[in-house]
Amino acid sequence: MVVPLRAIPSSREGFYAINNQFLANGPKGFMEFKMLENEDMFVRIDFPGVPKDGVRVILDQSKKAVCIFADAPKEHKYDYSERNYGTSTGLVCKCCEVSGFTSLMCDGVLRLILTKSNITPQRSSCISFLAGPDFREDLRGDGPYKFRHGTDPNDPKLTGRILMPHPCVNYGSEMAYESKQLQNGGLYVRVDMPGVPKENFTVAVMNGRVKVTGEAPAVSHDSSGRFYSGDVAMLSTPFDIPIRKIKIIAKNGVIRLIIPPV
């Protein structure tokens, strides 16, 4: 028999990143916000499972925000369900509006670059960051602005003992790990590792434990790459099984394993 493994913090401080128990190094958080030198706005949002053509970005009529909708299909019959994401982000200042954007959806990560223009000619362009789903209205003003909570990729508050559900999930699983015990004694697992290309996943079996690792390179204006690693299942015997007997499905920043019984 094969059994799933409960998420256990690897240190006294807790999980390195509470958004994903498998993230071992690199930027934390589901999102990353950054103002570029030319004052364009860069946004990274993790949408694991979403294919390149599965996202829509729409400029709001107010020109203060963009609305984002993303769909991750049910890739395997053992998936609990499909996943639907939705969020919005926009300028926090009163003096500018969003004048355009470019988007790139790749390996379960959406990257946006938003350009802004000044709508108050009597004053110079402000230095403003973007707001996310938990933006507080009492922080709104004329700028300049600091990071809101969660946009600093090294924020120590993103390390802890309690895992955080994905705030943009409207339907489906909010967590990075899903498992299902199969009738034959095998196990199905889904592990989110957004940003990892399918060729950068590795699976190993050692001492009766199934381990998955993934390397996500830095793309566009990411702060850095990300490295994921963790045990996802345990065999009922200490004998290892050949990797070739594990069915591996890796795409869109998600790896799925069908582990046979032992």
Side-chain angles (χ1 to χ4, degrees):
M1 189 173 182
V2 188
V3 296
L5 288 177
R6 185 171 62 90
I8 300 175
S10 57
S11 69
R12 294 178 59 185
E13 291 75 24
F15 297 101
Y16 168 77
I18 57 177
N19 58 291
N20 190 309
Q21 64 264 46
F22 301 101
L23 185 60
N25 199 301
K28 309 171 190 178
F30 297 103
M31 305 178 189
E32 180 178 357
F33 295 82
K34 182 188 297 184
M35 192 179 73
L36 307 180
E37 290 184 2
N38 64 357
E39 295 190 0
D40 284 352
M41 304 295 180
F42 170 74
V43 187
R44 169 190 59 80
I45 308 178
D46 291 342
F47 289 140
V50 175
K52 288 184 177 180
D53 59 354
V55 65
R56 292 178 295 141
V57 183
I58 302 171
L59 180 61
D60 186 77
Q61 290 183 348
S62 68
K63 294 187 177 181
K64 285 289 188 180
V66 291
C67 301
I68 304 164
F69 307 93
D71 298 307
K74 184 176 179 178
E75 293 287 356
H76 195 278
K77 64 180 180 179
Y78 294 140
D79 282 345
Y80 172 73
S81 70
E82 70 274 15
R83 286 186 282 182
N84 304 126
Y85 302 88
T87 189
S88 62
T89 187
L91 296 167
V92 298
C93 67
K94 298 177 180 178
C95 58
C96 299
E97 65 181 17
V98 177
S99 55
F101 65 86
T102 60
S103 63
L104 172 66
M105 185 74 209
C106 182
D107 299 319
V109 178
L110 174 67
R111 295 172 176 89
L112 292 171
I113 295 180
L114 283 76
T115 57
K116 62 185 178 69
S117 58
N118 195 335
I119 56 176
T120 55
Q122 67 273 19
R123 60 177 297 171
S124 59
S125 179
C126 70
I127 300 176
S128 59
F129 285 91
L130 295 166
D134 59 350
F135 174 68
R136 288 167 37 206
E137 283 293 331
D138 60 304
L139 297 180
R140 186 180 297 279
D142 295 330
Y145 301 93
K146 298 180 180 180
F147 282 109
R148 68 167 185 85
H149 175 68
T151 54
D152 178 357
N154 299 307
D155 190 342
K157 293 181 180 179
L158 293 175
T159 293
R161 304 189 66 84
I162 300 177
L163 293 171
M164 177 190 304
H166 199 305
C168 301
V169 173
N170 292 328
Y171 179 79
S173 176
E174 300 175 328
M175 309 306 290
Y177 179 82
E178 175 186 353
S179 66
K180 184 175 184 178
Q181 202 77 57
L182 306 182
Q183 291 183 350
N184 66 355
L187 183 73
Y188 171 78
V189 297
R190 169 192 57 79
V191 182
D192 292 345
M193 294 185 175
V196 178
K198 62 181 181 180
E199 64 272 12
N200 283 14
F201 287 102
T202 60
V203 180
V205 182
M206 186 175 296
N207 299 324
R209 289 175 174 256
V210 181
K211 183 177 184 177
V212 175
T213 60
E215 294 189 29
V219 177
S220 185
H221 298 280
D222 290 350
S223 294
S224 70
R226 290 183 279 182
F227 178 73
Y228 301 85
S229 180
D231 295 334
V232 300
M234 182 170 63
L235 310 181
S236 57
T237 67
F239 301 106
D240 298 338
I241 59 175
I243 296 299
R244 67 177 184 274
K245 291 190 176 182
I246 300 177
K247 184 175 181 180
I248 302 171
I249 307 168
K251 62 189 303 187
N252 301 323
V254 178
I255 186 168
R256 295 172 171 87
L257 306 178
I258 301 177
I259 307 168
V262 293

